[in-house]
Amino acid sequence: MSRRKLTADEIELWRKVAKQAERLHPELPQTVHPTVLPKPKPTKSPVPRLETFELGQKSQPTPAGNNLKTSISEELRRDGVRMDVKAFGRMKRGKLKPEGRLDLHGMRMDTAHPVLVKFILSAQASGKRLVLVITGKGKDRDEPGPIPTPRGVLRNQVPHWLSLPPLAQAVLQVTPAHISHGGDGAYYVYLRRIR
């Protein structure tokens, strides 16, 4: 469908209106009548060329950008230490005894989140510094499917919940627990003091 061209009467009417109107931006060049912009020409995007693969040929290593997301334990390790370094080392070696523990095994996300919030805030209110939150390692899916899914929903979700309000103000450090306290299926949560 092509655009309709303006008639001579419409162009004359436009010129009269343009002469009487105040310009919003006087510094810009003035046009006497509306112009029809030419249609943009379609640009051809280059079609990516796929490399041929022969039967028996070795595959090329994938670039680093295609790797799956790093594990939650790795992300927590990269987070850095925000508490006393000596106490952190003792905690990581399992030498500090948790003052409270919460077991979220078998809970669904909608029930686990409010239980976690209540536990952390009440532990902080009672002056506890180190608590243990047990999430479990999670089950492998029966059929993995085409989209990679992290193992253990609560195991991946709990550190995220601890970094958001209302828990973020109470939590100083989160780290995977020592093997004696549950290993990758549990987290040490070091709480801030109430001031």
Side-chain angles (χ1 to χ4, degrees):
M1 187 163 105
S2 63
R3 279 190 161 170
R4 173 179 87 75
K5 297 201 182 228
L6 296 174
T7 64
D9 291 340
E10 290 171 331
I11 291 173
E12 186 59 36
L13 177 63
W14 174 255
R15 285 187 180 144
K16 287 179 184 176
V17 169
K19 283 180 185 175
Q20 294 174 357
E22 271 187 48
R23 297 194 63 202
L24 288 176
H25 301 284
E27 68 277 0
L28 296 177
Q30 186 173 1
T31 56
V32 201
H33 59 84
T35 56
V36 178
L37 297 175
K39 281 187 177 179
K41 293 182 181 177
T43 57
K44 285 189 175 181
S45 60
V47 177
R49 189 171 166 275
L50 297 175
E51 307 233 353
T52 57
F53 184 80
E54 299 286 327
L55 190 62
Q57 177 184 347
K58 292 194 180 218
S59 67
Q60 300 296 320
T62 58
N66 290 347
N67 291 340
L68 294 175
K69 183 181 173 192
T70 58
S71 72
I72 193 72
S73 300
E74 191 61 37
E75 286 180 27
L76 289 173
R77 281 187 195 99
R78 272 194 241 141
D79 198 21
V81 179
R82 292 185 298 255
M83 57 186 279
D84 179 58
V85 177
K86 282 186 179 180
F88 181 76
R90 290 182 59 223
M91 180 177 72
K92 287 290 289 175
R93 290 190 309 272
K95 302 294 182 191
L96 286 182
K97 185 179 178 195
E99 300 169 79
R101 63 181 280 186
L102 172 66
D103 192 347
L104 299 174
H105 268 116
M107 287 191 190
R108 294 169 36 121
M109 283 178 47
D110 58 345
T111 54
H113 185 253
V115 169
L116 178 69
V117 170
K118 182 179 177 185
F119 172 74
I120 294 294
L121 295 180
S122 65
Q124 184 192 31
S126 63
K128 294 179 181 171
R129 293 304 303 273
L130 179 64
V131 294
L132 182 70
V133 177
I134 302 167
T135 60
K137 293 181 182 177
K139 295 182 198 172
D140 283 326
R141 286 178 35 183
D142 295 335
E143 295 181 26
I147 299 173
T149 308
R151 184 175 163 202
V153 176
L154 288 178
R155 180 175 154 213
N156 285 286
Q157 200 63 36
V158 164
H160 178 66
W161 288 338
L162 292 169
S163 68
L164 296 174
L167 299 179
Q169 56 82 25
V171 175
L172 183 61
Q173 187 84 43
V174 178
T175 188
H178 185 265
I179 193 73
S180 63
H181 291 128
D184 285 339
Y187 293 104
Y188 291 130
V189 182
Y190 201 79
L191 303 173
R192 297 180 195 274
R193 282 195 175 102
I194 296 179
R195 301 205 183 269

